[in-house]
Amino acid sequence: MFATASGAITHLGSSSLLVPLSALYATALWRHHSAPLALRWLLALSLCLGVMVVLKLVGHGCGLPDFPLFPSLFAGDRFVSPSGHAAFATVFYGSVAALAARDARSVWLRIGLPLAAVALVLAIGASRVAVSAHSGAEVVAGLLIGGLSVLLFLWTSRKDGAPRLRVSPWLLGALALGLALLVHAGDPSFVEGTIRRVAYHFGSGAGLCELAGRVFPGARG
């Protein structure tokens, strides 16, 4: 039961689910609110995912230094590939909830929506450890990168009004169906495997690891 629940929760951070949802959200912002707001959202999302790809390439190809925060808490934790699920979930659910809370008429919603997003993101991060996909340090790194991306989006869009988007029941049904398929059939995402193969390829040369050793002191150069 616990394994099934962890598997279901962890799929809520899968790129197979969040990439199409992000595309739909950006399209909705563009069509029903403003193009600049949609572009700011895509910028924050692209920055988050770009940083994650770079860290994963360096981690798999050359190795990352030990996680610099909370050394006593994460002593001995593996730190090779920061959690993309945690980062993607944070930037998506966090941005959507924070932006929706701006226009909420109820104080409870203005407080509850961000808190619900935080709870969901933390559950997704915990599930990555529970299914042995990542260490605690790798999950926290992903949460921090995603959180900083949310703050960037909120800061750049601070003068924009909140979009009034209606959630279609069809969209909720498609989300539930997609999650059910992921749980039943497994996550078809090939992102991590592709990054690993590319990292091994370029890590065998001197260029990537030499540069990594300069940018990340402690990495294998």
Side-chain angles (χ1 to χ4, degrees):
M1 183 67 179
F2 177 76
T4 302
S6 296
I9 293 171
T10 204
H11 287 318
L12 288 172
S14 169
S15 59
S16 299
L17 184 68
L18 293 185
V19 166
L21 285 181
S22 297
L24 287 173
Y25 187 64
T27 302
L29 289 177
W30 191 294
R31 292 185 59 187
H32 300 291
H33 192 67
S34 71
L37 185 61
L39 290 174
R40 292 186 187 102
W41 151 246
L42 290 174
L43 174 63
L45 178 64
S46 300
L47 181 62
C48 175
L49 299 184
V51 170
M52 290 301 300
V53 168
V54 170
L55 290 177
K56 285 176 176 289
L57 283 172
V58 174
H60 285 303
C62 310
L64 289 170
D66 292 337
F67 187 58
L69 302 178
F70 315 112
S72 59
L73 182 61
F74 298 117
D77 259 16
R78 180 182 76 247
F79 192 59
V80 175
S81 175
S83 174
H85 281 62
F88 206 162
T90 301
V91 70
F92 179 78
Y93 297 117
S95 297
V96 171
L99 204 56
R102 283 186 186 177
D103 193 47
R105 297 179 181 178
S106 166
V107 175
W108 293 107
L109 283 178
R110 287 198 294 270
I111 298 174
L113 287 174
L115 288 179
V118 169
L120 176 60
V121 166
L122 290 177
I124 292 171
S127 75
R128 300 306 288 164
V129 178
V131 300
S132 302
H134 288 286
S135 67
E138 290 172 334
V139 167
V140 170
L143 293 174
L144 289 175
I145 293 169
L148 290 174
S149 302
V150 172
L151 292 177
L152 172 66
F153 171 61
L154 294 179
W155 183 78
T156 57
S157 63
R158 64 192 183 280
K159 296 181 180 179
D160 293 307
R164 297 190 176 185
L165 304 177
R166 294 183 178 180
V167 179
S168 168
W170 292 101
L171 178 59
L172 293 177
L175 173 61
L177 177 60
L179 179 60
L181 289 174
L182 284 174
V183 173
H184 177 72
D187 190 350
S189 175
F190 56 88
V191 175
E192 188 75 20
T194 301
I195 290 176
R196 189 180 293 111
R197 287 191 293 271
V198 172
Y200 287 161
H201 175 73
F202 286 101
S204 60
L208 176 63
C209 293
E210 181 180 355
L211 178 61
R214 296 175 182 174
V215 178
F216 304 103
R220 298 193 305 270

